[in-house]
Amino acid sequence: MKDNGFNSLDLKQAVMRGIKEMGFVTPSPIQAQAIPLVLGGHDLIAQAQTGTGKTAAFSIPILNRLEKNGDIEALIITPTRELAMQISDEVFKLGKFLRIKTVCVYGGQSIRRQCELLDNKPQVLVATPGRLLDHLKNGRIANFEPKIVVLDESDEMLDMGFLDDVEEIFSYLPGSRQTLLFSATMPDQIKYLAQKILDRPKHVKITPANITNTDITQKCYVINEGHRDEAIIRLLDVLTPAKSIVFTSTKREADALCERLIQARYKSGALHGDMDQRARMDSIRAFKNGKINILVATDVAARGLDISDVSHVFNYHIPLNPESYVHRIGRTGRAGRKGMAITLITPLEFKEFKKIQDEVKHSLEIEELPSFDESHNQFVQKILKTKISDEAMGIYTDLIDKSDETNGILKLISFMLQMGLERKIGPTQKEIDKLKNQDKHRSSKERDYRGYGRYHRQEGYRGGRRR
Ligand code: AMP
């Protein structure tokens, strides 16, 4: 196993084989820093986002330390079902040659089924907080003394209101354990929790600046409120992304946009917390295997999902904070691939977005939306290249039979054009230039894009399309 950057970590042969099978050659920065510390038995606070290889950063040393003594030796707590399954899958694959068993425990699955799986004596248990606490309170996990406990996505657990559950879970765990806390950000509550549950922890940190790296091109487009759908469609038309995630702020928005995209003939699916488990898994699976190539998702549902070949991330609104921005755009540009992150901002959101960009140390670049002609051209090209189904051909032939031929063709073309023309939008060139100039000439304190909104009203601007 020459030339493998993992060699120097002194791992068991079986673990090295698992790493090789996964195709990992060089440890990622978080792995290079965290693995030796975990192998050395230290408690750890690791500040790292998804996409950095953090799952393997804790899974590899955990696997290396397993004794297979018939007990559950490691517990990994993570906020969502999808993440639990993803982690369990990665641990299982890395541990293939150790022949280990993992069990995943999360809400919404039959308790009896989970008890049967737990009776199978897995070495690694991956769980979401609520259901795990339920099992513990009801004494359904026998002799539960994991020697390594991982808290994954701790800040997300805080956001989702799981921190009390997490603390209570720790009251059931042995004091002699090794604890690893992973979090993208370190809000005060997480620092406080860390003080309570960790013992003289070591710290490792992969900063956002490392993440929003040159592999991800970041752009923003100024639009007017009410034109978000059309802007997304126009950008999709012109950029023709291979695989993209569009982040919306609310579940309702995710459903509405997804429907709109489907109407516009885009293969899209929604992913949010109001969907049942099966529907969520269906969307993720369809996105992974290419049945759909646009996922319209809310933050929570898409957090931490490992889909490696996302080419574009769209922010339908600006995210709430820099952390969310980093998380979202980190869905693309993974594993050394190039990615593009696009944020739609209204003039009113401009200031707020600038703050986010300052925080992630990226200079704000305002792009112009593709012109109507550009996007329309692409749209027509797309139609011309589309393979017409037999069914559509049948309807078309019928149409021609029913009318005289010229009329039929004309109607069809007009219909297609109308569909294209409905893709309106955006501020005019003049307005974008004005915004750019305002930004250049005013000090940051003076910038107030509310004036921009007034300008629209004075001019009688109605958000019509650019031609
Ligand atoms: P994570 O941050 O755990 O979500 O991991 C992101 C992706 O990187 C996953 O698909 C991992 O399988 C992959 N990955 C993790 N470690 C490595 C590595 N050392 N080399 C290449 N890919 C990796």
Side-chain angles (χ1 to χ4, degrees), residues 40-51:
H42 295 284
D43 277 8
L44 181 76
I45 296 179
Q47 214 177 318
Q49 334 276 330
T50 39

Side-chain angles (χ1 to χ4, degrees), residues 405-422:
E405 181 159 353
T406 333
N407 190 24
I409 290 173
L410 279 178
K411 262 196 161 162
L412 195 68
I413 293 173
S414 316
F415 172 72
M416 284 178 0
L417 281 174
Q418 190 181 315
M419 272 176 59
L421 287 168
E422 275 165 13

Side-chain angles (χ1 to χ4, degrees), residues 6 19 22-28 30-31 49-58 60 86 90 304-308 331 334-335:
F6 285 92
I19 292 171
M22 288 288 279
F24 301 170
V25 179
T26 314
S28 68
I30 186 76
Q31 291 160 5
Q49 334 276 330
T50 39
T52 54
K54 68 178 173 64
T55 314
F58 57 74
I60 290 171
Q86 194 170 288
E90 185 148 346
L305 282 183
D306 178 29
I307 298 160
S308 54
R331 313 286 86 229
R334 285 160 89 95

